Each structure stands twice: as C-alpha cells, then as structure tokens.
Amino acid sequence: MKTNVVCILITIVLYLLMMVIIGVRASKKNNDVGDFYLGGRKLGPIVTAMSAEASDMSSYLLMGLPGLAYLTGLADVGWTVIGLALGTYFNWLITAKRLRIYSHKCNAITIPDFFAKRYHDKKLIMGIAAAIILIFFIPYTASGFSACGKLFNTLFGLDYHVAMIISAIIIISYTSLGGFLAASTTDLVQSIAMTAALIIIVLFGVNSAGGMDVVIENAKGLKGYFSLTELHDPVTGGSSHYGFITIISTMAWGLGYFGMPHILLRFMAIEDKNKIKVSRRIASVWVVISMAVAVFIGVIGNALTAGGTVKSLEGSTSETIIMEMATLMSENGVIAALFAGLIFAGILACTMSTSDSQLLAASSSMSENFIKGVLGIKLTDKSSMFAARVVLIVISVISVFIAWNPDSSVFTIVSFAWAGFGATFGPVMLASLFWKRSNKFGAVAGMIAGGVMVFVWKFCIKPMGGVWNIYELLPAFIVASLAIVIVSLVSSAPSKEICEEFDAVKAELR
C-alpha cells in the first residue's frame, strides 16, 4: 500500500475510533430514555448550534453541492443554497424558542410525542407521525451510507458494498451506545472536521489550478456557468434558461427546515431557552460560509478538470470531485497526505453527523411512539432503550439495501426525503406553534395531504415537465397548509385546556 494511502487510512481510523469512544463515554450518562433520546435537555448553546447544523449538513455539503456546481454552474446550486440559508435562519428565529418551551411544558421527548401532546391525541397523530419518520428517514439514511461507500471505493478501491456496510456498523455502534448525547457531541467534533476539510481543499485546489484568476476565467468561459438565470449544460457546452418559477421552486428547499425531526430535536434539547439567540447566530454564520465554500469547491474542481489535473466526471460521479482533489493532494508528501486524510474524515463527518441523528429519531419514534404509544405495550426504561437499539439496527439494514446501487445520487435521494419531511411535518409544526385554532383533525389532514402530494408530484406530475417541473416540496407544503386550515376550521374547535396551554406558552415568550 502506498505511503499516502497509509497516512489517509491512519487519519480516518483515528477519527472513527474517537467517535466510538465518545459514544462509550456518553452511554454512561444515559440514566433513562429522556437522556437517551434528548440528552436530558442539557445541551449548551454552542453544542446545540453546531450539532443542529452538522446533522443538517449531510453528505450533500461536501458531495452534493460541489458535484452540482461542478456540472451545471451556480444557478441550480446557488438558489438552493440561498433557500437553505434563509430556511436555517428563520427556523432558528421563529421555531426554536417556542418549540423548546412548548415541548418542555408538555414533557415531549420526540416530534410525534410533541404533536400528540400538543393536540391531546393519544394514538392517531403519534402513529401517523411515527410512520412518516420511518418512510422518509430510511432513504435519507441510505444516502449517507451510499456516500460512505463511494468515499472508500474512490480512496482505497474497496468494494462499494463492503465499505458501506462497515460504515453503517460504526455509525450504529456509537449511536446505539450513547444515544442523543453521543450524537450531539460527535456532531460538534464532526462540524470542526467538516470546516477544516472545506478550508484545506479550497486552498489546495486554487493553488493546483494555477491561482484564483485561472479558476474564475475558466468559469467565465463556460456558457451560463456563472449566471443565476442560466443553467450550464456540460454535455453540449451551451446553457438553458433558469426562470422565475424554477428559482422559487429551488428556494423552496428552505421550507424543509420547519419539518426536519433531527434538527427540531436540537431545539427541544437546549438547556437554556434564553441562549437560543447565541445558537442562532453561530448556526446561521456557519451554514452560510460552509455552503458558499462547498459550492466554490465545485467551481475549482471544474477548473482542475479543464487543466487536465483531475479527470472529467459525469452524472452522479461528479459528487466525488472533492475526493479526487483530496487524492491529488495526498500525492504531495506525508504532511499533505495527513491533511488529505482530514478531508476524507470531513466527508465521513458530513455523512455520520446526519445518519446518527436520523437513526436516533427513527428508533425513538418506533420504540416510544409506536410500540409504547400506539400499541400500548408497557416497557421499562431499560426495555425501551433495548427496543430503540434493535429498531436502529433494523432501519440500518433496510437503508443498506436501498443504497445498494453504487450509481445512486446522494443529492437526488436527499432532496426527496427532505421534501417528505418538509411537507408532512413543516406545516403542522408551524400551525401547532402559532395557530391556537388548529386542531388534531387539521394536523392529521396536513400530514397525510403533504405526504401523498410529495409522491404524486414527484412521480406523476413533475415528469410532465414544463411548468410542472417544480420541486415537490413547494406544492406539497402548500397543499398540506391548506388542508390544516380548511379541516381545522370545519371541525370542532380545540378544547379549553388546549387553548390555555397554548396561551401559557405564548405568555412565557414575552
């Protein structure tokens, strides 16, 4: 094995061992299911901010975004990033504090649990919400495993399937041991690794391309590449119009944040609700800078390909551009190889930080919300934690099968799962926090309507093309919101007790 590969392998192994050690240490602090699922609501502002954003910035940060920018330029990826940045900020601004107060007041430790207790519904809402989490978290987790498989296949030539399974085992290990606290602590470490990877690869890439001027001039020479209203076509070398409807559709990515369980759980877990403002500022700044740099990596990669330094990448293989750049870096001595290893660790961090949070949210919804809540099976705290860990393993196995195809696109899988959560949980979350008149019938209608529309639009309407070629999250979010409003208004008003709880939360916000 070459020296550079050995150095990269050593860095990655040390990084993975550190994640498992954190999981083991965190496991000693889990006294009950409240600790396992929500860390005892003891997260500080920095851990809350970076944990939320690291769990948000999955493999699409270092793979999906650079790959999209590499192929088609700034339009598609640029408006996506703008939508995500706005969504991040407003989610922290209007959702975080209300959800922290409300969930604490009704003693909810999962998102389905919160919806059920907010609307005083014992089983229906909880069962539907738990099912939605399973339906959309499984492909989301699969995208993370796929990213790991591509990483080790590109780096070591290791079989894609073997690499994917090994990665899944490691993620399962520290998540099942330490629960939410382990996931949140590792997310903080992983956000640092992701940041370091972004900085290092940009500096190396610009230098290898011949300087910033060369990178910019290459992009300018590609028709529509640097435009926000034209989409570059890498096949023909031409461009196509990127219209207003498409821009709005792409920016709709930001709506997804209001329904992401693994992000919303961080809001519920923060120790001091008055420090959420600090977390919001940290999170917003980090997200904007990290996504902008990730997009620029794609631009740099295109210049390296044009100069013959990096091979040309097509289709979903464009998502490996950062790996190609890191591999090139590793050929410049031991120190460079160690830094390249940090970049690969950063890619792993993107994947692991999201996968661990998703697995935890999915397993908690099954053990707490479905087995105990819907089925009414009595479980001790010890039995609940055991059940959660078993479910976590089952979900991982299913996710591995979904990601079995090495040609699957990380960005495509993530975009569908993102739309699913955004449309099913987003409108209900906003209604539950801001509209006292909303009721359980409206909440159920909203979740079902949003989920159905995601599938209908994605597979039946969107393929028609033209004006129908809209990201499924936008129409599904609108349909779900209308369903909540209409059904809530035509059905009975919430009880006096529910209204008093809502007013008590509102009073605490003042």
Side-chain angles (χ1 to χ4, degrees):
M1 189 177 291
K2 295 181 180 179
T3 302
N4 63 326
V5 176
V6 172
C7 291
I8 293 173
L9 183 60
I10 290 172
T11 305
I12 291 177
V13 169
L14 289 175
Y15 174 78
L16 293 176
L17 283 175
M18 182 169 62
M19 296 300 101
V20 175
I21 290 172
I22 290 174
V24 174
R25 289 174 62 86
S27 67
K28 299 176 182 179
K29 300 179 181 180
N30 290 324
N31 299 315
D32 54 37
V33 289
D35 289 339
F36 187 77
Y37 292 138
L38 217 55
R41 300 185 196 270
K42 297 176 183 177
L43 295 190
I46 296 177
V47 175
T48 301
M50 298 313 298
S51 174
E53 299 319 313
S55 63
D56 164 29
M57 291 295 131
S58 61
S59 46
Y60 72 77
L61 176 65
L62 292 183
M63 294 181 69
L65 294 183
L68 197 57
Y70 173 90
L71 282 181
T72 62
L74 298 188
D76 205 12
V77 73
W79 289 113
T80 299
V81 165
I82 291 172
L84 290 173
L86 291 174
T88 297
Y89 178 78
F90 284 108
N91 197 29
W92 277 98
L93 181 66
I94 68 175
T95 306
K97 192 171 184 178
R98 283 179 181 265
L99 181 56
R100 169 62 177 82
I101 294 172
Y102 220 141
S103 64
H104 184 264
K105 187 170 289 293
C106 64
N107 194 31
I109 61 175
T110 68
I111 298 303
D113 194 26
F114 169 70
F115 288 150
K117 291 180 177 178
R118 160 65 176 87
Y119 291 110
H120 290 205
D121 180 81
K122 291 184 178 180
K123 294 185 177 181
L124 183 59
I125 291 179
M126 188 176 288
I128 293 173
I132 288 171
I133 284 179
L134 283 180
I135 290 170
F136 290 110
F137 260 152
I138 288 176
Y140 214 144
T141 304
S143 73
F145 292 165
S146 173
C148 289
K150 289 180 179 180
L151 187 153
F152 286 108
N153 176 260
T154 300
L155 179 58
F156 304 114
L158 187 65
D159 181 76
Y160 168 82
H161 304 109
V162 173
M164 184 172 57
I165 292 171
I166 292 174
S167 303
I169 291 173
I170 293 171
I171 295 171
I172 292 168
S173 298
Y174 75 78
T175 306
S176 61
L177 282 171
F180 186 84
L181 190 58
S184 298
T185 306
T186 54
D187 285 350
L188 174 62
V189 176
Q190 288 160 354
S191 68
I192 296 172
M194 290 154 66
T195 303
L198 288 167
I199 294 172
I200 293 169
I201 201 66
V202 164
L203 294 176
F204 171 77
V206 170
N207 181 66
S208 299
M212 186 68 74
D213 291 343
V214 174
V215 174
I216 301 300
E217 286 304 313
N218 173 72
K220 287 181 177 179
L222 300 173
K223 186 171 177 56
Y225 195 89
F226 253 0
S227 172
L228 287 175
T229 56
E230 289 185 68
L231 194 67
H232 176 68
D233 187 338
V235 178
T236 65
S239 65
S240 57
H241 181 61
Y242 205 81
F244 178 74
I245 293 179
T246 308
I247 290 173
I248 298 299
S249 166
T250 306
M251 288 183 66
W253 271 78
L255 293 173
Y257 280 104
F258 298 110
M260 292 298 131
H262 54 297
I263 298 173
L264 297 171
L265 283 173
R266 267 62 184 180
F267 299 161
M268 295 167 62
I270 190 169
E271 183 176 23
D272 186 352
K273 64 180 183 294
N274 295 317
K275 292 184 179 179
I276 287 179
K277 182 182 291 186
V278 176
S279 298
R280 182 180 74 236
R281 290 171 177 171
I282 295 172
S284 300
V285 170
W286 186 83
V287 161
V288 170
I289 294 175
S290 63
M291 288 195 297
V293 173
V295 171
F296 189 51
I297 288 172
V299 178
I300 296 171
N302 195 291
L304 289 171
T305 295
T309 308
V310 172
K311 66 180 181 180
S312 179
L313 303 172
E314 300 176 355
S316 64
T317 61
S318 65
E319 295 175 346
T320 64
I321 181 60
I322 191 171
M323 301 180 197
E324 296 291 340
M325 293 167 68
T327 302
L328 180 65
M329 175 191 289
S330 70
E331 298 170 356
N332 290 277
V334 174
I335 301 299
L338 291 173
F339 276 118
L342 184 60
I343 293 168
F344 281 107
I347 299 171
L348 268 180
C350 285
T351 302
M352 294 169 66
S353 61
T354 303
S355 296
D356 56 22
S357 300
Q358 292 164 349
L359 285 171
L360 194 62
S363 64
S364 66
S365 70
M366 279 301 293
S367 63
E368 285 297 298
N369 305 137
F370 188 75
I371 296 176
K372 293 172 67 175
V374 177
L375 299 181
I377 299 175
K378 303 290 185 180
L379 294 176
T380 62
D381 283 349
K382 186 176 181 180
S383 298
S384 292
M385 291 173 66
F386 176 77
R389 286 164 174 152
V390 171
V391 171
L392 189 149
I393 294 172
V394 172
I395 292 172
S396 298
V397 171
I398 297 173
S399 299
V400 166
F401 278 106
I402 291 177
W404 202 251
N405 180 8
D407 295 325
S408 59
S409 169
V410 170
F411 194 90
T412 301
I413 298 175
V414 169
S415 69
F416 180 69
W418 186 270
F421 280 123
T424 53
F425 286 167
V428 178
M429 178 58 68
L430 293 174
S432 67
L433 296 177
F434 291 95
W435 191 30
K436 184 165 61 175
R437 181 60 177 80
S438 65
N439 59 25
K440 65 179 182 181
F441 305 108
V444 169
M447 286 191 287
I448 294 175
V452 170
M453 182 52 69
V454 165
F455 282 93
V456 170
W457 197 277
K458 171 74 174 180
F459 298 107
C460 300
I461 299 177
K462 190 175 181 179
M464 295 166 61
V467 296
W468 307 109
N469 188 27
I470 297 174
Y471 181 31
E472 55 270 19
L473 173 54
L474 181 58
F477 194 96
I478 294 172
V479 168
S481 300
L482 290 173
I484 294 171
V485 174
I486 294 171
V487 175
S488 292
L489 290 177
V490 299
S491 55
S492 58
S495 67
K496 181 180 179 182
E497 187 180 0
I498 293 177
C499 292
E500 288 175 347
E501 288 178 1
F502 186 92
D503 290 335
V505 172
K506 189 175 180 179
E508 195 171 335
L509 285 164
R510 295 169 184 163

